Coordinates of all heavy atoms in Angstrom, one line a residue:
M1 N -85.6 3.9 -32.1 CA -85.7 5.3 -32.0 C -86.3 5.8 -33.4 O -85.8 5.3 -34.4 CB -84.3 6.0 -31.7 CG -84.4 7.5 -31.9 SD -83.3 8.5 -30.8 CE -81.8 8.3 -31.5
P2 N -87.3 6.7 -33.4 CA -87.9 7.1 -34.7 C -86.9 8.0 -35.5 O -86.0 8.8 -34.9 CB -89.1 7.9 -34.4 CG -89.0 8.2 -32.8 CD -88.1 7.2 -32.2
K3 N -86.8 7.8 -36.7 CA -86.0 8.7 -37.5 C -86.4 10.2 -37.4 O -87.6 10.5 -37.3 CB -86.0 8.2 -39.1 CG -87.2 8.4 -39.8 CD -86.9 7.9 -41.1 CE -88.2 8.2 -42.0 NZ -88.1 7.9 -43.3
R4 N -85.5 11.1 -37.6 CA -85.8 12.6 -37.6 C -86.3 12.9 -39.0 O -85.8 12.5 -39.9 CB -84.6 13.3 -37.3 CG -84.4 13.4 -35.8 CD -83.4 14.4 -35.4 NE -83.9 15.7 -35.3 CZ -83.3 16.9 -35.4 NH1 -82.0 16.9 -35.4 NH2 -83.9 17.9 -35.2
L5 N -87.4 13.6 -39.1 CA -87.9 14.2 -40.3 C -87.1 15.5 -40.6 O -86.9 16.3 -39.7 CB -89.4 14.3 -40.3 CG -90.1 13.1 -40.0 CD1 -91.6 13.3 -40.0 CD2 -89.9 12.1 -41.3
K6 N -87.1 15.7 -41.8 CA -86.5 17.0 -42.3 C -87.5 18.1 -42.0 O -88.8 17.8 -42.1 CB -86.2 17.0 -43.9 CG -85.1 16.0 -44.2 CD -84.9 16.0 -45.6 CE -86.0 15.1 -46.3 NZ -85.9 14.9 -47.6
T7 N -87.0 19.3 -41.7 CA -87.9 20.4 -41.4 C -87.9 21.3 -42.5 O -86.9 21.5 -43.2 CB -87.6 21.1 -40.2 OG1 -86.3 21.6 -40.1 CG2 -87.7 20.2 -38.8
I8 N -88.9 22.1 -42.8 CA -89.0 23.2 -43.7 C -89.1 24.4 -43.1 O -89.8 24.7 -42.1 CB -90.2 23.0 -44.6 CG1 -90.3 21.7 -45.4 CG2 -90.4 24.1 -45.6 CD1 -91.6 21.3 -46.1
R9 N -88.1 25.3 -43.4 CA -88.0 26.6 -43.0 C -89.0 27.5 -43.6 O -89.3 27.4 -44.8 CB -86.7 27.2 -43.0 CG -85.6 26.3 -42.4 CD -84.7 27.0 -41.6 NE -83.7 26.3 -41.0 CZ -83.8 25.8 -39.6 NH1 -84.6 26.4 -38.9 NH2 -82.8 25.1 -39.2
G10 N -89.4 28.6 -43.0 CA -90.4 29.7 -43.6 C -91.8 29.3 -43.1 O -92.2 28.2 -42.7
I11 N -92.6 30.3 -43.3 CA -94.1 30.2 -43.0 C -94.9 29.0 -44.0 O -95.4 28.2 -43.5 CB -94.7 31.5 -43.2 CG1 -94.1 32.4 -42.2 CG2 -96.3 31.4 -43.0 CD1 -94.6 33.8 -42.3
T12 N -94.6 29.3 -45.4 CA -95.3 28.3 -46.1 C -94.3 28.1 -47.4 O -93.5 29.0 -47.7 CB -96.6 28.7 -46.7 OG1 -96.4 30.0 -47.4 CG2 -97.7 28.9 -45.7
M13 N -94.3 27.2 -48.0 CA -93.5 26.8 -49.2 C -94.4 26.4 -50.3 O -95.2 25.5 -50.3 CB -92.5 25.7 -49.0 CG -91.3 26.0 -48.0 SD -90.1 24.8 -47.9 CE -89.5 25.1 -49.6
N14 N -94.4 26.9 -51.6 CA -95.1 26.6 -52.5 C -94.5 25.3 -53.3 O -93.2 25.1 -53.2 CB -95.3 27.8 -53.7 CG -94.1 28.3 -54.1 OD1 -93.2 27.7 -54.2 ND2 -94.1 29.6 -54.4
A15 N -95.2 24.7 -54.2 CA -94.6 23.5 -54.7 C -93.4 23.8 -55.5 O -92.4 22.9 -55.6 CB -95.8 22.9 -55.6
P16 N -93.3 24.9 -56.3 CA -92.0 24.9 -57.1 C -90.8 25.1 -56.2 O -89.8 24.7 -56.6 CB -92.4 26.2 -58.1 CG -93.8 26.3 -58.1 CD -94.2 25.7 -56.7
A17 N -91.0 25.8 -55.1 CA -89.9 25.9 -54.2 C -89.4 24.5 -53.7 O -88.3 24.3 -53.6 CB -90.2 27.0 -53.1
R18 N -90.3 23.8 -53.4 CA -90.0 22.4 -52.8 C -89.3 21.6 -53.9 O -88.3 20.9 -53.7 CB -91.3 21.7 -52.4 CG -91.7 22.3 -51.0 CD -92.7 21.2 -50.4 NE -94.0 21.0 -51.2 CZ -94.9 21.8 -51.5 NH1 -95.0 23.1 -50.9 NH2 -95.9 21.4 -52.3
R19 N -89.7 21.7 -55.2 CA -89.1 21.0 -56.2 C -87.7 21.5 -56.3 O -86.8 20.6 -56.7 CB -89.9 21.2 -57.5 CG -91.3 20.3 -57.5 CD -91.9 20.3 -58.7 NE -93.3 19.8 -58.6 CZ -94.3 20.5 -58.7 NH1 -94.1 21.9 -58.7 NH2 -95.4 20.2 -58.3
R20 N -87.4 22.7 -56.3 CA -86.1 23.2 -56.4 C -85.3 22.7 -55.4 O -83.9 22.5 -55.6 CB -86.1 24.7 -56.2 CG -86.6 25.5 -57.5 CD -86.2 27.0 -57.6 NE -86.8 27.6 -56.6 CZ -88.0 28.2 -56.5 NH1 -88.7 28.1 -57.5 NH2 -88.3 28.8 -55.4
R21 N -85.7 22.4 -54.1 CA -84.9 21.8 -53.1 C -84.7 20.4 -53.3 O -84.0 19.8 -52.6 CB -85.7 22.1 -51.8 CG -85.7 23.4 -51.2 CD -86.3 23.6 -49.9 NE -85.6 22.8 -48.9 CZ -86.2 21.9 -48.1 NH1 -87.4 21.8 -48.1 NH2 -85.5 21.3 -47.2
G22 N -85.4 19.8 -54.3 CA -85.1 18.4 -54.6 C -85.9 17.5 -53.9 O -85.6 16.3 -53.8
L23 N -87.0 17.7 -53.3 CA -87.9 16.8 -52.5 C -88.6 16.0 -53.6 O -89.4 16.7 -54.4 CB -88.9 17.6 -51.6 CG -88.3 18.4 -50.5 CD1 -89.3 19.1 -49.7 CD2 -87.4 17.5 -49.6
Q24 N -88.5 14.8 -53.5 CA -89.2 13.9 -54.5 C -89.6 12.7 -53.8 O -88.9 12.2 -52.9 CB -88.2 13.6 -55.7 CG -87.8 14.6 -56.6 CD -88.8 15.4 -57.3 OE1 -89.8 14.7 -57.8 NE2 -88.9 16.6 -57.4
P25 N -90.8 12.1 -54.1 CA -91.3 11.0 -53.5 C -90.4 9.7 -54.0 O -89.9 9.9 -55.0 CB -92.7 10.8 -54.0 CG -92.8 11.5 -55.3 CD -91.8 12.7 -55.1
P26 N -90.5 8.8 -53.2 CA -89.6 7.5 -53.7 C -90.3 7.0 -54.9 O -91.4 7.2 -55.2 CB -89.7 6.6 -52.3 CG -90.8 7.1 -51.5 CD -91.1 8.5 -51.9
A27 N -89.4 6.3 -55.6 CA -90.0 5.6 -56.8 C -91.0 4.4 -56.5 O -91.0 3.9 -55.4 CB -88.7 4.9 -57.5
P28 N -91.8 4.2 -57.3 CA -92.7 3.1 -57.1 C -92.1 1.8 -56.8 O -90.9 1.7 -57.0 CB -93.4 2.9 -58.5 CG -93.3 4.3 -59.2 CD -92.1 4.7 -58.7
P29 N -92.6 0.9 -56.0 CA -93.9 0.6 -55.9 C -94.7 1.1 -54.8 O -95.6 0.4 -54.3 CB -94.0 -1.0 -55.9 CG -92.6 -1.4 -55.3 CD -91.8 -0.2 -55.7
L30 N -94.3 2.2 -54.1 CA -95.0 2.6 -53.0 C -96.3 2.9 -53.4 O -96.7 3.7 -54.2 CB -94.4 4.0 -52.5 CG -95.0 4.6 -51.2 CD1 -94.8 3.8 -50.0 CD2 -94.4 6.0 -51.0
R31 N -97.2 2.2 -52.5 CA -98.7 2.5 -52.8 C -99.3 3.4 -51.7 O -99.1 3.4 -50.6 CB -99.5 1.1 -52.5 CG -100.8 1.1 -52.8 CD -101.5 -0.2 -52.9 NE -103.0 -0.1 -53.0 CZ -103.9 -0.5 -52.1 NH1 -103.4 -1.1 -51.1 NH2 -105.1 -0.3 -52.3
L32 N -99.8 4.5 -52.2 CA -100.4 5.5 -51.2 C -101.6 5.2 -50.7 O -102.6 4.9 -51.4 CB -100.4 6.9 -52.0 CG -99.2 7.5 -52.6 CD1 -99.4 8.7 -53.4 CD2 -98.1 7.6 -51.5
T33 N -101.7 5.1 -49.4 CA -102.8 4.6 -48.6 C -103.1 5.5 -47.4 O -102.3 6.2 -47.1 CB -102.6 3.2 -48.1 OG1 -101.7 3.2 -47.1 CG2 -102.4 2.2 -49.2
P34 N -104.3 5.4 -46.8 CA -104.6 6.2 -45.5 C -103.4 5.9 -44.5 O -103.0 6.7 -43.7 CB -105.9 5.7 -45.0 CG -106.7 5.5 -46.3 CD -105.6 4.7 -47.2
Q35 N -103.1 4.6 -44.4 CA -102.0 4.2 -43.5 C -100.7 4.9 -43.7 O -100.1 5.4 -42.7 CB -101.8 2.7 -43.3 CG -100.8 2.3 -42.2 CD -100.7 0.8 -42.3 OE1 -101.3 0.1 -43.1 NE2 -99.8 0.3 -41.4
V36 N -100.3 5.1 -44.9 CA -99.1 5.7 -45.2 C -99.1 7.3 -45.0 O -98.2 7.8 -44.4 CB -98.7 5.5 -46.8 CG1 -97.5 6.5 -47.2 CG2 -98.4 4.2 -47.2
A37 N -100.4 7.8 -45.3 CA -100.6 9.4 -45.0 C -100.5 9.7 -43.5 O -100.0 10.7 -43.2 CB -101.8 9.7 -45.6
S38 N -101.1 8.7 -42.8 CA -101.1 9.0 -41.2 C -100.1 8.4 -40.5 O -99.9 8.7 -39.1 CB -102.5 8.4 -40.8 OG -102.5 7.0 -40.8
D39 N -99.0 7.7 -41.0 CA -97.9 7.0 -40.4 C -96.7 8.2 -40.0 O -96.2 8.8 -41.0 CB -97.3 5.9 -41.2 CG -96.3 5.3 -40.5 OD1 -95.7 5.7 -39.3 OD2 -95.8 4.1 -41.0
P40 N -96.5 8.4 -38.7 CA -95.4 9.4 -38.5 C -94.2 9.1 -39.1 O -93.1 9.9 -39.0 CB -95.5 9.5 -36.9 CG -96.3 8.4 -36.5 CD -97.1 7.9 -37.4
L41 N -93.8 7.9 -39.4 CA -92.6 7.4 -39.9 C -92.5 7.6 -41.5 O -91.4 7.4 -41.9 CB -92.2 6.0 -39.5 CG -92.1 5.8 -38.0 CD1 -91.9 4.4 -37.7 CD2 -91.1 6.7 -37.4
T42 N -93.7 8.0 -42.1 CA -93.6 8.3 -43.5 C -92.7 9.4 -43.8 O -92.8 10.4 -43.1 CB -95.0 8.5 -43.9 OG1 -95.8 7.3 -43.9 CG2 -94.9 8.8 -45.5
D43 N -91.8 9.3 -44.8 CA -91.0 10.3 -45.2 C -91.7 11.6 -45.6 O -92.7 11.5 -46.2 CB -90.0 9.9 -46.4 CG -88.8 10.9 -46.7 OD1 -87.9 10.7 -46.0 OD2 -89.1 11.7 -47.6
E44 N -91.1 12.8 -45.2 CA -91.7 14.0 -45.5 C -92.0 14.3 -46.9 O -93.0 14.9 -47.4 CB -90.9 15.2 -44.9 CG -91.6 16.5 -45.0 CD -90.7 17.6 -44.5 OE1 -89.4 17.4 -44.1 OE2 -91.3 18.8 -44.5
D45 N -91.1 13.8 -47.8 CA -91.2 14.0 -49.3 C -92.5 13.3 -49.7 O -93.4 13.8 -50.6 CB -90.2 13.4 -50.1 CG -88.8 14.1 -49.9 OD1 -88.8 15.2 -49.2 OD2 -87.7 13.7 -50.3
V46 N -92.9 12.1 -49.2 CA -94.1 11.4 -49.6 C -95.2 12.0 -49.1 O -96.2 12.2 -49.7 CB -93.9 10.0 -49.0 CG1 -95.2 9.2 -49.2 CG2 -92.8 9.1 -49.4
L47 N -95.2 12.7 -47.8 CA -96.4 13.4 -47.2 C -96.7 14.6 -48.2 O -97.9 14.9 -48.4 CB -96.1 13.9 -45.8 CG -95.8 12.7 -44.7 CD1 -95.6 13.4 -43.3 CD2 -96.9 11.8 -44.6
W48 N -95.6 15.3 -48.5 CA -95.9 16.4 -49.6 C -96.4 16.0 -50.8 O -97.3 16.5 -51.4 CB -94.6 17.2 -49.7 CG -94.4 18.2 -48.6 CD1 -93.6 18.2 -47.5 CD2 -95.1 19.5 -48.5 NE1 -93.6 19.3 -46.8 CE2 -94.5 20.2 -47.3 CE3 -96.1 20.1 -49.3 CZ2 -95.1 21.4 -46.9 CZ3 -96.6 21.4 -48.7 CH2 -96.1 21.9 -47.7
H49 N -96.0 14.9 -51.3 CA -96.5 14.3 -52.5 C -98.0 13.9 -52.4 O -98.8 14.3 -53.3 CB -95.7 13.0 -53.0 CG -96.2 12.5 -54.3 ND1 -95.9 12.9 -55.4 CD2 -97.1 11.4 -54.5 CE1 -96.4 12.3 -56.3 NE2 -97.2 11.3 -55.9
I50 N -98.4 13.4 -51.3 CA -99.8 13.1 -50.9 C -100.6 14.4 -50.9 O -101.6 14.5 -51.6 CB -99.9 12.3 -49.7 CG1 -99.4 10.9 -49.8 CG2 -101.4 12.2 -49.3 CD1 -99.2 10.1 -48.5
A51 N -100.1 15.4 -50.3 CA -100.6 16.7 -50.2 C -101.1 17.2 -51.5 O -102.0 17.9 -51.7 CB -100.0 17.6 -49.2
E52 N -100.0 17.1 -52.4 CA -100.2 17.9 -53.6 C -100.9 17.0 -54.8 O -101.6 17.6 -55.7 CB -98.7 18.1 -54.2 CG -98.0 19.1 -53.4 CD -96.6 19.4 -53.8 OE1 -96.1 18.5 -54.5 OE2 -96.0 20.4 -53.4
H53 N -100.8 15.7 -54.6 CA -101.4 14.9 -55.7 C -102.4 13.8 -55.4 O -102.9 13.1 -56.2 CB -100.2 14.1 -56.3 CG -99.2 14.9 -56.9 ND1 -99.3 15.7 -58.0 CD2 -97.9 15.3 -56.4 CE1 -98.3 16.5 -58.2 NE2 -97.4 16.1 -57.3
A54 N -102.9 13.7 -54.1 CA -103.8 12.7 -53.7 C -104.8 13.4 -52.7 O -104.8 13.1 -51.5 CB -103.0 11.5 -53.0
P55 N -105.8 14.3 -53.4 CA -106.6 14.9 -52.4 C -107.5 14.0 -51.6 O -107.9 14.4 -50.5 CB -107.5 15.7 -53.3 CG -107.2 15.2 -54.7 CD -105.8 14.6 -54.6
E56 N -107.8 12.8 -52.0 CA -108.5 11.9 -51.3 C -107.9 11.3 -50.0 O -108.5 10.8 -48.9 CB -109.0 10.6 -52.0 CG -108.0 9.6 -52.4 CD -107.0 10.1 -53.6 OE1 -107.2 11.2 -54.1 OE2 -106.0 9.4 -53.9
L57 N -106.5 11.5 -49.9 CA -105.8 11.2 -48.7 C -105.4 12.3 -47.8 O -104.8 12.2 -46.6 CB -104.5 10.4 -49.1 CG -104.8 9.1 -49.8 CD1 -103.5 8.6 -50.2 CD2 -105.5 8.2 -48.9
R58 N -105.7 13.7 -48.1 CA -105.3 14.8 -47.5 C -105.8 14.7 -46.0 O -105.2 15.2 -45.0 CB -105.7 16.0 -48.2 CG -104.9 16.4 -49.3 CD -105.4 17.6 -50.0 NE -104.6 17.7 -51.3 CZ -105.1 18.3 -52.5 NH1 -106.4 18.8 -52.3 NH2 -104.5 18.4 -53.5
M59 N -107.1 14.3 -45.8 CA -107.7 14.3 -44.5 C -106.9 13.4 -43.5 O -106.8 13.6 -42.4 CB -109.1 13.9 -44.5 CG -109.3 12.4 -44.8 SD -111.0 12.0 -44.9 CE -111.0 10.5 -45.9
W60 N -106.1 12.3 -44.1 CA -105.3 11.5 -43.2 C -104.0 12.2 -42.8 O -103.5 11.8 -41.8 CB -105.0 10.2 -43.9 CG -106.4 9.4 -44.1 CD1 -107.0 9.3 -45.4 CD2 -107.0 8.7 -43.2 NE1 -108.2 8.6 -45.1 CE2 -108.3 8.2 -43.8 CE3 -106.8 8.5 -41.8 CZ2 -109.2 7.4 -43.2 CZ3 -107.7 7.7 -41.1 CH2 -108.9 7.1 -41.9
L61 N -103.6 13.1 -43.7 CA -102.3 13.9 -43.2 C -102.6 14.7 -41.9 O -101.6 14.8 -41.2 CB -101.9 14.9 -44.3 CG -101.4 14.1 -45.7 CD1 -101.4 15.2 -46.7 CD2 -100.2 13.4 -45.5
I62 N -103.8 15.1 -41.6 CA -104.2 15.8 -40.5 C -103.9 15.0 -39.2 O -103.5 15.5 -38.2 CB -105.7 16.4 -40.6 CG1 -105.8 17.4 -41.8 CG2 -106.0 17.0 -39.4 CD1 -107.2 17.6 -42.2
A63 N -104.2 13.7 -39.4 CA -103.9 12.8 -38.3 C -102.6 12.4 -38.0 O -102.2 11.9 -37.0 CB -104.8 11.5 -38.5
N64 N -101.7 12.8 -38.9 CA -100.3 12.4 -38.8 C -99.5 13.3 -37.7 O -99.5 14.5 -38.1 CB -99.6 12.4 -40.1 CG -98.2 11.8 -40.2 OD1 -97.4 11.8 -39.2 ND2 -97.9 11.2 -41.3
T65 N -99.1 12.8 -36.7 CA -98.4 13.6 -35.6 C -97.1 14.2 -36.1 O -96.5 15.1 -35.5 CB -98.2 12.8 -34.4 OG1 -97.4 11.5 -34.8 CG2 -99.5 12.3 -33.8
A66 N -96.5 13.6 -37.1 CA -95.3 14.2 -37.8 C -95.5 15.3 -38.8 O -94.5 15.8 -39.3 CB -94.4 13.1 -38.3
A67 N -96.7 15.4 -39.1 CA -97.0 16.6 -40.2 C -96.6 17.9 -39.7 O -96.9 18.3 -38.5 CB -98.5 16.5 -40.5
T68 N -95.9 18.6 -40.5 CA -95.4 19.9 -40.2 C -96.5 21.0 -40.1 O -97.4 20.8 -41.0 CB -94.1 20.3 -41.0 OG1 -94.6 20.5 -42.4 CG2 -93.1 19.3 -41.0
P69 N -96.3 22.2 -39.5 CA -97.2 23.2 -39.6 C -97.4 23.6 -41.0 O -98.5 23.8 -41.6 CB -96.7 24.2 -38.7 CG -95.8 23.6 -37.7 CD -95.3 22.4 -38.4
E70 N -96.3 23.7 -41.8 CA -96.3 24.0 -43.2 C -97.3 23.0 -44.1 O -98.0 23.6 -44.9 CB -94.9 24.3 -43.8 CG -94.1 25.2 -43.1 CD -93.5 24.8 -41.8 OE1 -93.4 23.6 -41.4 OE2 -92.8 25.8 -41.2
L71 N -97.0 21.8 -43.8 CA -97.8 20.9 -44.5 C -99.4 21.0 -44.2 O -100.2 21.0 -45.1 CB -97.3 19.4 -44.2 CG -98.1 18.3 -44.8 CD1 -97.9 18.4 -46.4 CD2 -97.7 16.9 -44.3
L72 N -99.6 21.2 -42.9 CA -101.1 21.3 -42.5 C -101.6 22.6 -43.0 O -102.9 22.6 -43.5 CB -101.2 21.2 -41.0 CG -100.8 19.9 -40.4 CD1 -100.9 20.1 -38.8 CD2 -101.7 18.7 -40.8
E73 N -100.8 23.7 -43.1 CA -101.3 24.9 -43.7 C -101.6 24.6 -45.2 O -102.6 25.2 -45.7 CB -100.2 26.0 -43.6 CG -100.6 27.3 -44.2 CD -101.7 28.0 -43.5 OE1 -102.1 27.8 -42.3 OE2 -102.5 28.8 -44.2
Y74 N -100.8 23.9 -45.9 CA -101.1 23.8 -47.4 C -102.3 22.8 -47.5 O -103.2 23.3 -48.4 CB -99.8 22.9 -47.9 CG -100.0 22.6 -49.3 CD1 -99.8 23.6 -50.4 CD2 -100.5 21.2 -49.7 CE1 -99.9 23.2 -51.7 CE2 -100.7 21.0 -51.1 CZ -100.4 21.9 -51.9 OH -100.7 21.8 -53.4
V75 N -102.4 21.9 -46.7 CA -103.7 21.1 -46.7 C -104.9 21.8 -46.5 O -105.8 21.8 -47.1 CB -103.6 19.9 -45.8 CG1 -104.8 19.1 -45.6 CG2 -102.4 18.8 -46.3
S76 N -104.8 22.7 -45.5 CA -106.0 23.6 -45.1 C -106.3 24.5 -46.3 O -107.4 24.9 -46.5 CB -105.8 24.3 -43.9 OG -104.9 25.4 -44.1
Q77 N -105.3 25.0 -47.1 CA -105.6 26.0 -48.2 C -106.1 25.2 -49.5 O -107.0 25.8 -50.1 CB -104.2 26.5 -48.5 CG -103.8 27.7 -47.5 CD -102.5 28.3 -47.8 OE1 -102.0 28.2 -49.0 NE2 -101.9 29.1 -46.9
V78 N -105.7 24.0 -49.7 CA -106.0 23.3 -50.9 C -107.3 22.6 -50.7 O -108.1 22.2 -51.6 CB -104.9 22.4 -51.6 CG1 -103.8 23.4 -52.1 CG2 -104.5 21.4 -50.6
G79 N -107.6 22.1 -49.4 CA -108.8 21.4 -49.0 C -108.7 20.0 -49.7 O -107.7 19.4 -50.1
G80 N -110.0 19.5 -49.8 CA -110.2 18.1 -50.3 C -111.3 17.4 -49.5 O -111.8 17.9 -48.5
P81 N -111.6 16.2 -49.9 CA -112.7 15.5 -49.2 C -112.3 15.1 -47.7 O -111.2 14.6 -47.5 CB -112.8 14.2 -50.1 CG -112.1 14.4 -51.3 CD -111.1 15.5 -51.0
G82 N -113.1 15.5 -46.9 CA -112.9 15.3 -45.5 C -112.0 16.1 -44.6 O -111.7 16.0 -43.7
V83 N -111.3 17.1 -45.4 CA -110.2 18.0 -44.8 C -110.9 18.9 -43.8 O -110.4 19.1 -42.6 CB -109.5 18.8 -45.9 CG1 -108.7 19.8 -45.3 CG2 -108.6 17.9 -46.6
A84 N -112.1 19.6 -44.0 CA -112.6 20.4 -43.1 C -113.0 19.7 -41.8 O -112.7 20.1 -40.7 CB -113.8 21.2 -43.7
R85 N -113.5 18.5 -42.0 CA -114.0 17.7 -40.8 C -112.7 17.3 -40.1 O -112.8 17.2 -38.9 CB -114.8 16.4 -41.3 CG -115.3 15.7 -40.2 CD -116.3 16.3 -39.2 NE -116.6 15.4 -38.2 CZ -116.6 15.7 -36.9 NH1 -116.4 17.1 -36.5 NH2 -116.9 15.0 -36.0
G86 N -111.8 16.9 -40.7 CA -110.5 16.4 -40.1 C -109.9 17.6 -39.2 O -109.5 17.3 -38.1
F87 N -109.9 18.8 -39.7 CA -109.4 19.8 -38.8 C -110.4 20.1 -37.7 O -109.9 20.4 -36.6 CB -109.3 21.2 -39.7 CG -107.9 21.2 -40.4 CD1 -107.9 21.1 -41.8 CD2 -106.8 21.2 -39.6 CE1 -106.6 21.1 -42.5 CE2 -105.5 21.2 -40.3 CZ -105.4 21.1 -41.7
E88 N -111.7 20.0 -37.9 CA -112.6 20.1 -36.8 C -112.3 19.1 -35.7 O -112.3 19.5 -34.4 CB -114.0 19.9 -37.2 CG -114.6 21.1 -38.0 CD -116.0 20.7 -38.7 OE1 -116.6 19.7 -38.3 OE2 -116.4 21.5 -39.5
V89 N -112.0 18.0 -36.1 CA -111.7 16.9 -35.0 C -110.4 17.2 -34.4 O -110.2 17.1 -33.3 CB -111.7 15.4 -35.8 CG1 -111.1 14.4 -34.8 CG2 -113.0 15.2 -36.2
L90 N -109.4 17.6 -35.0 CA -108.1 17.9 -34.6 C -108.2 19.0 -33.6 O -107.6 18.9 -32.4 CB -107.2 18.3 -35.6 CG -105.8 18.8 -35.2 CD1 -105.0 17.8 -34.4 CD2 -105.0 19.5 -36.3
F91 N -108.8 20.1 -33.8 CA -108.9 21.3 -33.0 C -109.9 20.9 -31.8 O -109.6 21.3 -30.7 CB -109.7 22.4 -33.7 CG -108.7 22.9 -34.9 CD1 -109.4 23.5 -36.0 CD2 -107.3 23.0 -34.8 CE1 -108.5 23.9 -37.1 CE2 -106.6 23.4 -35.8 CZ -107.2 23.8 -36.9
A92 N -110.9 20.0 -31.8 CA -111.7 19.6 -30.8 C -110.8 18.8 -29.9 O -111.0 18.9 -28.6 CB -112.9 18.8 -31.3
S93 N -109.9 18.0 -30.3 CA -109.1 17.2 -29.5 C -108.0 17.9 -28.7 O -107.7 17.7 -27.6 CB -108.4 16.1 -30.4 OG -107.3 16.7 -31.1
L94 N -107.7 19.1 -29.3 CA -106.7 20.0 -28.5 C -107.4 20.8 -27.6 O -106.8 21.3 -26.5 CB -106.1 21.0 -29.7 CG -105.2 20.4 -30.7 CD1 -104.9 21.4 -31.7 CD2 -104.1 19.6 -30.1
E95 N -108.7 21.0 -27.6 CA -109.3 21.8 -26.6 C -109.7 21.1 -25.4 O -109.7 21.5 -24.2 CB -110.8 22.2 -27.1 CG -110.7 23.4 -28.2 CD -111.9 23.7 -28.9 OE1 -113.0 23.0 -28.6 OE2 -112.0 24.5 -29.7
G96 N -109.9 19.8 -25.4 CA -110.2 19.0 -24.4 C -109.2 18.2 -23.8 O -108.6 17.8 -23.0

């Protein structure tokens, strides 16, 4: 059974609010890769860390079925390489 991910309340959360809640990525040696970013079992703290600090992996967060609406909103606002195209593909898949 997949583990339950924590949910974030509210429309959007800025980075300082998340830090106050104590969300922190796990200690190294976790290597951030496209597979980690797109894996629905990746901890939410790690996904937020990727969104905030690894712009080259943000497009992979869009493919993660466990990504929260708040996380996807943040990614859409900050952008990054491949993010616009990633959302195009996501929205096209929802239409058909």
Side-chain angles (χ1 to χ4, degrees):
M1 174 151 71
K3 69 178 183 175
R4 277 189 88 192
L5 296 176
K6 296 174 272 183
T7 59
I8 297 176
R9 302 229 180 249
I11 297 172
T12 60
M13 292 188 68
N14 57 29
R18 283 192 305 284
R19 284 190 199 99
R20 283 194 300 272
R21 290 184 56 232
L23 298 178
Q24 297 296 322
L30 179 66
R31 184 167 173 248
L32 301 178
T33 64
Q35 182 177 1
V36 170
S38 60
D39 185 347
L41 297 179
T42 298
D43 189 82
E44 184 180 8
D45 295 352
V46 176
L47 298 179
W48 275 103
H49 181 80
I50 290 169
E52 293 174 341
H53 302 288
E56 71 282 2
L57 295 177
R58 289 180 186 146
M59 67 179 159
W60 296 101
L61 294 171
I62 299 166
N64 189 325
T65 57
T68 63
E70 293 84 7
L71 179 66
L72 294 176
E73 177 66 25
Y74 178 82
V75 169
S76 74
Q77 290 177 12
V78 295
V83 167
R85 180 67 182 135
F87 278 113
E88 288 174 12
V89 170
L90 173 64
F91 297 143
S93 73
L94 296 174
E95 291 174 358

